[in-house]
Amino acid sequence: MPETIRIGCASAFWGDTCTAAAQLVEQGALDYLVFDYLAEVTMSIMAAKRMKDPLAGYATDFIEVLSPLLQHLHERRIRVIANAGGVNPQACAAALQAACDQAGVPLKIAVLLGDDLQPQRARLADQDIREMSDGASLPPTCLSINAYLGAPGIVEALGQGADVVITGRVVDSAVVSAALVHEFGWAWHDYDKLAQAALAGHLIECGAQCTGGNFTDWQDVPDYERIGFPIVEVSADGQFIVTKAEGTGGLVTPLTVGEQLLYEIGDPQGYLLPDVICDFSQVRLIQQGKHAVRVQGAKGLPPTDQYKVCATWPDGFRCTATCLIAGIDAVAKAERVSQAIIAKTSELFLQRGWAPYSEVNVELLGSEATYGQHGQRRDSREVVIKLAVRHPDKQALDLFAREIAQAATGMAPGLTGMVGGRPTVSPLIRLFSFLIDKAACQLEIEFAGQRLPCPLPVLEPLETSDLPVTPDLPKPQGRADASVPLIKLAVARSGDKGNHSNIGVIAREPEYLPWIAEALTPEVIVDWMSHVIDPLLGRVERWYLPGTHSLNYLLENALGGGGVASLRIDPQGKAFAQQLLEIQIPVPQHIADQVN
């Protein structure tokens, strides 16, 4: 058994930089190179591509990035795990095999199958499947239906001797945790170790986001141009260090890693994965030297007997037009032009007997439209009109796309033209998430010309006495006689899960946390973010993580549908944390003096 395993992540999404894999292979001294390509919407895009071409439907980036590195991977015995297979992992494996044959490199490639439930669509329709958040029925047409598999299938493939394992939909962290289970021989009931492994995967799955990318204190991050991609060095007891290749740009500190810890999670004491339920509330992040952070303290509990499944389905069409309008009273002109375009096209729809718009969203970029009631710029002399509409009929939006151009000559002055040319109409894709028994997925490994079944571990019952106790929030001591913006006291990051967004807030010093918690109640967040939270279905939950002196907020139904279903400029809530960081926090004068 090795003392430590080094794993580097070279991709956070489909379309990430082509430079990360070479950096990690050449400078990272890796044992494993992993890639994360898949998001819910990515699966629908890949499914649409497969419908047009039976050999498509996977991340072609994976083949392009890996091909020049094949000889290095072979010589240095670096194994590769990637969910690059999308909805067509066998085609992905065939393309990689062709690249290996051309390069004369004998890498052994395995494919994990079993996540694709689209062939079971008819059977699922008979089971009264319900959406997890709103109880809706399974849509009549689905573009993709994929279960989030865990690590066991990947572990089986590694045990068979695979150099490269290609999967379809697995939880993002599984590409890391599988390598660790295989190398260290952990049992499936070593839940604390599995939780640490899942955390290691969670921290690096978004690439450079934990090495200084997307970091609140962006001005402290050196050399974005050559930012280092993350590496975890994990020991057999599950503890690990987050680092990056020496000499690369970026920054690795408890705060950069802490922001990623809270990124896109809900309850930190109940982070549900197929192989383990994780409790991250007591995780500690300790600086171990320059660009190295030790991570310890994750706890685990037995998993449930269900997989989360995400289906994607078409719900009409969307079209987004953008145009610049400049000059005196630009904001007022933009408002008037937007109203006129919608009114004119709505009248044309009525004349033709078409339904009205399903949804209209107008945002004036440059007028601080994303800030809602907190916007301060009403006097800009140039704004971009972003006009997004939804309709069940494509021909209605084709008409919209044609008629909007008339604004340039028939409406207010200063409209310079369409940004990017005439807008195009595209299908609007929605997400449908539900739970299913794990037995519904038949896992198989395709390797060396054979199909090998992959049985799942036997589940242990979850003892309610083992459930973590919710920690009490610390109370501030003393009197608040000053106030400072949150950014002086904390860093924060926001992200999305479907139509929900989370905002993680990490105190810069432990003594600041009680004052932050006292001020940022869920009710305050609802009020501050009321411009994005659904007035009927929206609500906010809050959790406390003592180990990192942080708070996590989940804003339910705050993204206008989320992903490509949302018509907003910020459909994933990426700017929510930036907006929250401006809120004033009452503190004692001595803290205000410290941070100012």
Side-chain angles (χ1 to χ4, degrees), residues 173-242:
S173 58
V175 295
V176 170
S177 57
L180 299 174
V181 170
H182 169 72
E183 292 290 342
F184 294 130
W186 292 340
W188 293 109
H189 59 263
D190 288 336
Y191 297 119
D192 288 351
K193 292 176 181 176
L194 294 180
Q196 279 283 127
L199 180 55
H202 174 67
L203 290 177
I204 69 172
E205 72 192 29
C206 289
Q209 279 195 176
C210 76
T211 55
N214 200 11
F215 180 46
T216 300
D217 296 340
W218 57 270
Q219 66 275 15
D220 296 338
V221 182
D223 203 0
Y224 280 146
E225 296 82 354
R226 285 168 288 277
I227 196 165
F229 269 63
I231 298 168
V232 285
E233 185 170 333
V234 190
S235 58
D237 64 1
Q239 293 192 46
F240 61 91
I241 291 174
V242 179

Side-chain angles (χ1 to χ4, degrees), residues 223-299:
D223 203 0
Y224 280 146
E225 296 82 354
R226 285 168 288 277
I227 196 165
F229 269 63
I231 298 168
V232 285
E233 185 170 333
V234 190
S235 58
D237 64 1
Q239 293 192 46
F240 61 91
I241 291 174
V242 179
T243 186
K244 62 186 184 67
E246 189 173 348
T248 58
L251 186 68
V252 183
T253 69
L255 290 181
T256 66
V257 175
E259 282 195 5
Q260 182 61 28
L261 166 64
L262 297 179
Y263 184 63
E264 295 184 343
I265 68 170
D267 182 355
Q269 292 191 292
Y271 186 62
L272 303 181
L273 294 172
D275 308 320
V276 62
I277 298 174
C278 303
D279 176 5
F280 295 153
S281 62
Q282 300 296 336
V283 167
R284 296 182 63 214
L285 307 173
I286 306 161
Q287 194 80 49
Q288 287 283 110
K290 190 175 182 180
H291 301 310
V293 172
R294 177 170 291 279
V295 182
Q296 58 192 45
K299 299 294 182 183

Side-chain angles (χ1 to χ4, degrees), residues 70 79 94 103 123 145 151 161 164 198 222 321 327 395 452 483 558 571:
L70 294 174
R79 301 174 91 169
R123 187 176 66 81
I145 310 176
V164 181
Q395 65 178 338
L452 307 171
S483 70

